[in-house]
Amino acid sequence: MSTIHWTESPTPFSARWHSENATPPPGRVVVADDRMTADTAHRLACEGTALLWRGDFHNARQLLRAMGRRVDRKSPRPGDDPAQSFRLHRRARAHRARVLNRLLVLLEDDHCLRLRRAPDTRQACAEAYGPPRGATAVSLTELLGVLGAWQWRRRGVEVPALDARVHPHYGVFAPVRGEYVDLVARAPLPAPAPGRADGRTAFDLGTGTGVLAAVLARRGVERVVATDISPRALACARENARRLGLAGRVDVMGVPGLFPDGRAGLVVCNPPWLPGRPASAVEQGVYDQGSGMLHAFLDGLASHLVPGGEGWLVLSDLAERLGLRTRGELLARIEGAGLRVVDRTGTRPRHPRARDTADPFHAARAGEVTSLWRLAVA
């Protein structure tokens, strides 16, 4: 168990350390309160000192924003090409996260945050972290993420293709970009293979909230096997299947790799769209290190399809527009896996960042196309 240590007038204290990003416990911790200025907090955090907040909760949030503004004063220089600019931007964002994550709060042994004007954090933390195991120090940015995710989980995300809401859990990528769901809802289903029961089965790989598995079940697929390696995602997908009355047709299972055993008439995969190393659990839904999930899907697809079956790859071309991957590389990977492209349907994004002209990658996002590639064995 990792711990942090600090001193308060002049008594020494310690507490469990928790970080969803696997950040090691800080080596130096000082107590901070409403008297600390943003300049001092920013300087200490940049030097590697963590600040354990003992003041007003709303003042802590204001301090966090003020520290962020100071970090943002030094914007990354543009690269020689879009790919280098994107990497420099990611490096700057990682530095920003490191600095802001050094503002800490202490959760008591019941997950309660005992600060002035603090919200009730007990249920949100219990759902994200599990039962309390003693006083625990976390970064304020992480706690704010936990509280925000709890609101998403309570309210849910409206999915027009289901005419229902899907409820994402903390650490599970929420289906806020509906265009990829609509693509799966509209693509023509492959005809079931005659005489094969598994031809009426679909696999949803990396199911997350289970939204695509639910769409396929609502479309009439008799059995959908939804897989994931994340325990949080598995629990989330099972809960959503129950909420939607689909538990009898959607089988959620954890598997050591990407594919479950056997074959299916349809295999759907919506891998993270950008090659890169994820910096948090939620970023695992955005960044696919070394394109590992994409390559595993393509390389294993042929051996998991029944005759006449199809694999549906749902993928944005944002990586291509940023110079992180070329269309030629993708097509060569498809051909090398013994697959052929049956059809490709694309759609423009509707998310707000595509219209945000202040985004340094606005041009790439504005031109982005999300596609459903229908693949079959060559």
Side-chain angles (χ1 to χ4, degrees):
M1 178 182 72
S2 297
T3 59
I4 69 165
H5 303 271
W6 72 97
T7 300
E8 290 187 68
S9 302
T11 306
F13 290 90
S14 65
R16 294 179 67 254
W17 168 250
H18 181 86
S19 170
E20 287 292 314
N21 301 337
T23 301
R28 182 169 185 263
V29 181
V30 299
V31 173
D33 58 26
D34 305 310
R35 295 169 294 180
M36 180 170 284
T37 67
D39 285 336
T40 299
H42 174 246
R43 175 179 58 79
L44 289 171
C46 286
E47 292 171 353
T49 299
L51 313 171
L52 180 62
W53 187 255
R54 292 304 210 184
D56 179 86
F57 177 77
H58 290 281
N59 288 348
R61 295 187 65 174
Q62 290 178 1
L63 178 63
L64 194 67
R65 288 192 288 268
M67 291 170 64
R69 289 194 295 271
R70 282 155 176 78
V71 175
D72 294 340
R73 287 172 183 170
K74 189 176 181 181
S75 58
R77 64 176 178 82
D80 296 331
D81 53 49
Q84 187 183 34
S85 293
F86 183 73
R87 294 188 183 98
L88 291 171
H89 176 74
R90 285 272 290 160
R91 184 186 303 171
R93 298 298 293 181
H95 168 72
R96 186 182 199 274
R98 282 194 300 272
V99 171
L100 298 189
N101 282 340
R102 290 182 179 131
L103 182 58
L104 313 181
V105 293
L106 185 67
L107 298 171
E108 302 295 341
D109 55 9
D110 59 353
H111 283 325
C112 180
L113 181 63
R114 292 190 173 91
L115 299 176
R116 293 190 306 275
R117 295 197 291 172
D120 188 343
T121 57
R122 290 172 294 180
Q123 185 175 349
C125 289
E127 291 182 358
Y129 299 144
R133 292 181 290 169
T136 304
V138 299
S139 74
L140 177 59
T141 52
E142 179 173 307
L143 179 62
L144 294 175
V146 168
L147 296 173
W150 183 56
Q151 293 298 328
W152 277 108
R153 181 169 176 173
R154 291 175 62 202
R155 293 194 303 263
V157 178
E158 186 68 32
V159 180
L162 292 171
D163 192 24
R165 288 181 175 269
V166 165
H167 296 259
H169 290 195
Y170 175 70
V172 181
F173 192 73
V176 292
R177 291 190 55 170
E179 61 265 22
Y180 78 92
V181 180
D182 292 340
L183 287 170
V184 172
R186 295 169 183 167
L189 293 170
R196 294 190 64 123
D198 51 5
R200 296 187 292 275
T201 295
F203 296 162
D204 174 27
L205 310 181
T207 193
T209 61
V211 61
L212 297 184
V215 167
L216 294 173
R218 283 278 180 88
R219 292 193 62 187
V221 177
E222 291 186 11
R223 179 174 179 254
V224 183
V225 179
T227 71
D228 212 295
I229 60 172
S230 164
R232 283 176 172 155
L234 295 171
C236 180
R238 290 188 183 107
E239 180 183 297
N240 282 315
R242 287 194 299 269
R243 284 177 180 267
L244 296 168
L246 299 171
R249 297 174 61 191
V250 176
D251 184 8
V252 180
M253 63 172 62
V255 293
L258 186 62
F259 290 87
D261 292 335
R263 295 174 181 262
L266 175 62
V267 181
V268 178
C269 186
N270 174 34
W273 292 343
L274 294 176
R277 182 178 180 179
S280 67
V282 172
E283 279 199 351
Q284 291 175 1
V286 179
Y287 294 98
D288 183 12
Q289 188 168 2
S291 298
M293 186 173 177
L294 171 62
H295 295 165
F297 168 69
L298 294 175
D299 294 344
L301 180 59
S303 62
H304 287 87
L305 285 177
V306 302
E310 288 185 6
W312 289 359
L313 172 63
V314 184
L315 195 65
S316 160
D317 68 352
L318 183 60
E320 299 172 20
R321 295 179 182 274
L322 293 173
L324 305 176
R325 179 172 55 230
T326 68
R327 178 62 56 88
E329 289 170 346
L330 176 61
L331 292 174
R333 193 82 193 197
I334 291 172
E335 182 180 0
L339 304 169
R340 61 183 175 87
V341 179
V342 176
D343 190 22
R344 180 175 69 88
T345 304
T347 185
R348 295 283 184 180
R350 302 189 297 268
H351 60 94
R353 293 189 71 179
R355 301 185 295 273
D356 182 5
T357 55
D359 187 321
F361 304 103
H362 167 70
R365 295 187 195 279
E368 179 186 6
V369 174
T370 302
S371 297
L372 186 150
W373 297 74
R374 293 172 54 202
L375 308 174
V377 178

